[in-house]
Structure formats: C-alpha cells, structure tokens
C-alpha cells in the first residue's frame, strides 16, 4: 500500500492525534432512559488522561462505580445526544476522578457516540487561582492517539470527528500542503477549507513573533516536523498567527509528524487562541508588581525603625528582648529579599533591564564575588574556596552586574543547601572563545526528575523545600534570564545527596597580553 493512500493517511493521522477518544455503545432501560454505556474502544491517551485502565468492553458503571449518582448530567447529555443526534461540546467535573474535562461528543450512528476528551484541570485551576490570588498556570497539551476504524468508512467518519474538534487542527502532506482543517481552524483563521486545500500551510497562515517579525517558513515547527528535525513539539515562546483579514491572535500549539513504516508522510498541527491566558498572565504580572511595590515601603520602614530602636536601647534590654529584636530584623530582611526578587524578576521579564557591556577583569570579579558571599558562608559554617590563579591578565566583555548577580546566586544557593562544615569550590577556567565559571558543592543535590524545572519561576526542588522551607524559587529563574541577556549558557550536574555543580559559560573572551 502506498504511503499516499488517503485512507492510510487518515488512519496514521488518528494514531498521532492529541486528544483522548472513546467509542461507546449506549444502554437504555425499558422506558428508554440512558442507564449505561459500553466502551467499545479507546485510545491509550484516553486511559492516560482519565487514569482508567483496561476499559475496553466494560460499562462505565463498572469502571467508575457511583458515576450515575456523582455525575447525572453526563447521562442527560448523552441521552439528549441520542434523541437529537446533535453534537455537544461541554466541560464537566468528574467527581470520582477529581478531574475537569473538555468533552466533544458526536453520534456517528444511532445508539453509539464518540467522546473526545481533553484534561482541562490545569485551566480550571488557573481560573480559580485568578479569582483568589491572581496566579495562573498553563494548560498542558498531551499527545493523543485515536482509534482505528474499518478502511471502508474511516475517511468519512474520521473527517467528521476531526472537523468538530474544538481546537484549530490542520493536517498537511509531506510537502506541507493542506489536506484537512477543522471547523475551529476556519473560525480562528477566517479561511475556509475550499479556499486553502492543497496550498502550503506556511504560506496561507503566516506566523509572527512577539515583536511582529515574520517567522521564516523553515523555522516553523510544522516544517521542521516534515523534515524530521523534531518529533512532537510544542511552542514555549509567544507567537502569533495572522488571520485572513490580516489581524493576528496569540496561539499555542503542538505539531506531530505523521509516519508510516518509519517514513514521514505528513504532519498534524493542533493550536488554540491563548488571548485569555495572556490576559490572565498580564493581570497576574500587574498584580505582583503592585503588591511588591506596596509591600516594599512598609517593610523598609520596619527595617528603619528596628535599626533605630536597636541603636537607642543598646545595653538597656535583656538577652531575651534582644533576641526578639534580632528575630524581627531577620524576618523583615527575609520579606524584603522576597519582594526584591519579585520586582527583579518582573523588571527583567518586562524588558526594563538594559545590558551595559564593559571589559571585566576575571581575577577582580572572582575576588569581589568571593568577598561578597564569604559572610554568608561564615554564618552558615560552610567553607568557601575560590581558585583564581592565572587570571591576572584575562578579561571578558559583558555586563558586570548581571554576571556578578548570576555567580552570587550560584554560590549563595550552594551555601544555603550545604551542611555545616562542608566545602564549596568557586573556580574560573579558560576555553577557546569563552570562560567557564563553576560552583561545586557537596550538599543535598537535585532529584534527577526535577533538574529540568529548577530554572522555572517559583519552582523549588522537593528536597530543597524540606531542607530550607523559606526559599522563593526566583533566584535561579532570574539567573537564567540574566544569562540569556548576556549570551551566556548555564549547565548543571547534580546527584541527590552528593551535591551539584553549576557551570556558566561566558563568550567573548579577550586577553590583555
């Protein structure tokens, strides 16, 4: 069978889809009321999304006991689907699973229905958090596979199901020409299927970055998927799609190559309009900025009053009273540090931090960083060793404050997550075209499955929370953004219980000799 066979293409397309899917047969009582349904077939992502295993051939009442009592509206919706034959798209909270789902239900034939599910629990949490504390989370797309039907009716039925999916969906052949689009694609872009069928996706729907610059076709995710540069990929940066009327909207999506016998025969892209999420993120940022600014003034005032009080009553209070004053001061300092970190992160995110390039002596920089962090090491009972040999004539051109801030964050983190009596080594070495700073400790380390997330905003490793509960989760996030601004690269080696090594590779190495 040729890879270009349309029926085979759509079978493979379904195998690469991104939503959970269940094909079910309805069961009615003598009065014609829907009382149950049998799962004739589900894809594995249906099981992944719901946590339900081995459901094929089983009734929903067997899989989720008590579902009729906990979610009677589900039976009402599917019952109406049987009576009217009209597709239904709805959100529902399944109590026994403690999950929110976005469900698109269709009836391909009388007495049967297809349910396409997306787990929207994270999105619901975002909405709830916005009401309570203006915090947000991001929806996460998961790869989905869909069931396989007989070749005779696969294409017609599959296209009907795909057409009704709530997200924008486009399927292209191996040349990038559009084969199929969903109704949501038409609504989002303004293009009808007849207008663009057979045309290249990258030409019909242009893509722009945040600044309004056109993304070259070869850099588009769908192009890279077709040439095998990537497998399933999602966009983490902000980008926009241009509608038929030349307006644009922010989008987030996933692209998956369609393969047959190990060869790429096309690709599927699913995307959605994230205008609401970006507005939530904007409101969250404004809320954090306002809260941080408002908190800084009273906290600074408390610090001033405590310092003034401490000077005036020196020698006139007992030991316990002095301890209380010291604790108030330390707690206020911690609160000020949190506010400072939040404002610093917001400033960098907003593009308010400009880079100032200058020639920096590595020997002097290393000494300054060591001196600045030595008191922290002494207070924690940790030994800090700095190796700055053979750097007297070496300079690097970059932003001194940004570089110093990154290195101090690495060293302070190493100090905070090491036991008393342990050693920390701060080293600088030269490589061709760059210098490499390293901070090595023998502290608690970072769990292997969490190392990829420690540079995320507000994220803290599970063992770090137990070892030092009062961290903000902003230090490494700010350090990573500063490193990006100066063109540096951060590398990490870590083993739980044995320590970590943070590397910072800075380009543009110069020598005065």
């Amino acid at each position: 069978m040729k890879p270009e066979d349309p029926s085979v293409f759509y079978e493979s397309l379904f195998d690469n889809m991104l939503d959970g899917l269940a094909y079910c047969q309805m069961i009615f009582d003598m009065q014609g009321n829907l009382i149950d349904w049998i799962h004739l077939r589900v894809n594995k992502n249906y099981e992944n999304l719901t946590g339900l295993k081995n459901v094929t051939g089983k009734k929903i009442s067997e899989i989720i006991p008590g579902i009729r009592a906990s979610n009677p509206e589900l039976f009402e919706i599917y019952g109406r689907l049987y009576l009217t034959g009209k597709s239904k798209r709805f959100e529902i909270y399944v109590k026994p699973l403690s999950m929110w789902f976005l469900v698109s239900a269709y009836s391909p034939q009388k007495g049967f229905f297809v349910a396409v599910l997306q787990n929207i629990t994270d999105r619901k949490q975002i909405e709830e958090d916005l009401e309570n504390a203006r915090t947000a989370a991001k929806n996460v797309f998961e790869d989905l596979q869909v069931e396989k039907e007989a070749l005779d009716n696969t294409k017609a039925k599959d296209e009907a199901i795909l057409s009704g999916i709530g997200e924008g969906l486009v399927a292209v052949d191996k040349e990038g020409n559009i084969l199929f689009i969903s109704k949501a694609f038409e609504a989002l872009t303004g293009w009808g299927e007849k207008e663009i069928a057979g045309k290249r996706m990258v030409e019909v729907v242009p893509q722009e970055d945040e600044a309004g610059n056109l993304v070259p076709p070869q850099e588009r995710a769908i192009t890279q998927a077709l040439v095998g540069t990537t497998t399933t990929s999602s966009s983490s940066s902000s980008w926009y799609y241009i509608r038929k009327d030349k307006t644009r909207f922010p989008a987030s999506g996933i692209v998956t190559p369609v393969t047959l016998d190990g060869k790429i025969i096309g690709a599927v892209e699913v995307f959605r309009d994230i205008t609401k999420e970006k507005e939530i993120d904007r409101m969250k940022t404004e809320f954090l900025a306002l809260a941080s600014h408002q908190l800084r003034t009273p906290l600074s005032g408390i610090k001033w009053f405590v310092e003034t009080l401490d000077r005036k009553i020196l020698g006139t209070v007992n030991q316990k009273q002095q301890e209380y004053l010291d604790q108030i001061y330390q707690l206020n300092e911690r609160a000020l540090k949190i506010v400072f970190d939040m404002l610093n992160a917001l400033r960098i995110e907003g593009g308010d931090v400009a880079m100032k390039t200058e020639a920096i002596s590595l020997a002097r920089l290393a000494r300054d960083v060591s001196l600045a962090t030595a008191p922290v090491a002494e207070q924690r009972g940790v030994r800090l060793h700095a190796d700055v040999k053979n750097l007297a004539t070496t300079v690097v051109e970059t932003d001194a404050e940004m570089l110093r801030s990154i290195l101090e964050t690495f060293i302070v983190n190493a100090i905070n997550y090491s036991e008393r009596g342990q050693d920390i080594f701060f080293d600088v070495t030269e490589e061709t075209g760059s210098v490499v700073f390293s901070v090595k400790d023998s502290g608690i380390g970072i769990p292997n499955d969490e190392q990829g997330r420690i540079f995320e905003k507000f994220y803290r490793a599970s063992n770090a929370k137990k070892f030092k509960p009062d961290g903000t989760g902003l230090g490494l996030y700010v350090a990573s953004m500063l490193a990006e601004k100066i063109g540096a690269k951060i590398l990490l080696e870590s083993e739980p219980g044995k320590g970590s090594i943070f590397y910072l590779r800075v380009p543009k190495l110069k020598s005065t000799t």
Side-chain angles (χ1 to χ4, degrees), residues 160-273:
I161 293 174
L162 287 171
S163 180
I165 288 177
E167 312 296 346
L169 182 146
V170 57
V172 300
D173 62 17
K174 59 185 179 182
E175 305 299 330
N177 300 315
I178 296 173
L179 294 174
F180 172 83
I181 62 174
S182 66
K183 294 296 182 183
F185 181 102
E186 296 183 2
L188 287 169
T189 66
W191 288 104
E193 184 170 9
K194 292 182 179 179
E195 297 177 281
I196 60 176
K199 297 181 179 179
R200 297 187 69 212
M201 170 64 181
V202 294
E203 296 174 354
V204 173
V205 185
Q207 188 181 85
E208 291 183 352
D209 60 20
E210 190 81 34
N213 300 312
L214 193 66
V215 178
Q218 64 272 20
E219 295 181 13
R220 296 272 291 269
I222 199 165
T223 304
Q224 295 175 357
L226 290 171
V227 299
T229 305
T230 63
T231 56
T232 300
S233 64
S234 61
S235 175
S236 58
S237 58
S238 295
W239 52 273
Y240 293 79
Y241 268 152
I242 309 302
R243 299 185 180 94
K244 180 180 179 181
D245 63 4
K246 305 304 180 184
T247 60
R248 70 176 194 166
F249 64 94
S252 175
I254 300 178
V255 178
T256 304
V258 178
T259 60
L260 181 66
D261 297 330
K263 296 181 180 179
I264 297 174
I265 62 172
V268 180
E269 179 176 354
V270 179
F271 62 93
R272 62 191 181 88
D273 186 340

Side-chain angles (χ1 to χ4, degrees), residues 278-455:
K278 290 184 73 68
E279 178 63 15
I280 289 173
D281 193 57
R282 183 191 64 79
M283 294 173 67
K284 176 203 67 176
T285 301
E286 290 179 354
F287 171 78
L288 289 175
L290 177 62
S292 300
H293 279 291
Q294 293 296 323
L295 285 170
R296 185 170 59 176
T297 299
L299 289 173
S300 299
I302 292 172
K303 177 178 181 179
W304 183 84
F305 280 115
V306 172
E307 290 176 343
T308 302
L309 182 62
D310 206 17
R311 289 195 300 271
K312 289 186 177 180
I313 64 174
L314 185 63
T316 65
V317 297
N318 58 39
Q319 183 178 355
K320 198 65 178 178
Q321 291 170 330
Q322 187 61 48
E323 288 178 2
Y324 287 154
L325 280 173
D326 292 342
Q327 290 177 7
I328 292 172
Y329 185 83
Q330 292 301 325
L331 289 171
N332 192 72
E333 285 291 289
R334 187 181 304 166
L336 277 171
K337 175 65 166 54
I338 293 173
V339 170
F340 174 79
D341 286 346
M342 290 174 65
L343 287 173
N344 201 20
L346 291 169
R347 285 172 51 244
I348 298 173
E349 288 177 340
D352 296 335
V353 179
M355 182 176 174
K356 300 177 181 178
T357 302
E358 58 182 295
I360 307 168
S361 165
L362 294 185
R364 180 176 178 180
L365 173 69
R367 284 193 294 268
D368 289 347
V369 171
S370 300
L371 290 173
T373 54
V376 185
E378 183 178 356
Q379 183 180 19
R380 289 277 301 166
V382 176
R383 294 183 294 270
L384 176 60
H385 308 275
D387 186 2
V388 294
K389 301 187 296 293
N390 303 320
L391 294 174
T393 62
T394 305
V395 299
V396 64
E397 291 186 352
T398 188
D399 188 292
E401 290 301 319
M402 292 185 186
L403 178 57
R404 185 179 294 112
S405 178
I406 298 169
L407 296 175
E408 289 180 0
T409 296
F410 288 171
I411 294 175
V412 171
N413 270 7
I415 294 170
N416 286 335
Y417 298 108
S418 296
E419 300 284 359
R420 298 185 69 85
Q422 290 184 327
D423 295 289
I424 294 172
F425 298 92
F426 174 41
D427 191 15
V428 190
T429 57
E430 294 187 36
E431 293 184 354
T432 303
S434 63
V435 291
V436 178
F437 298 87
S438 65
V439 177
K440 178 181 180 181
D441 65 67
S442 52
I444 64 173
I446 304 167
N448 295 331
D449 59 348
E450 300 183 50
Q451 292 179 15
R453 299 193 60 193
I454 62 168
F455 295 101

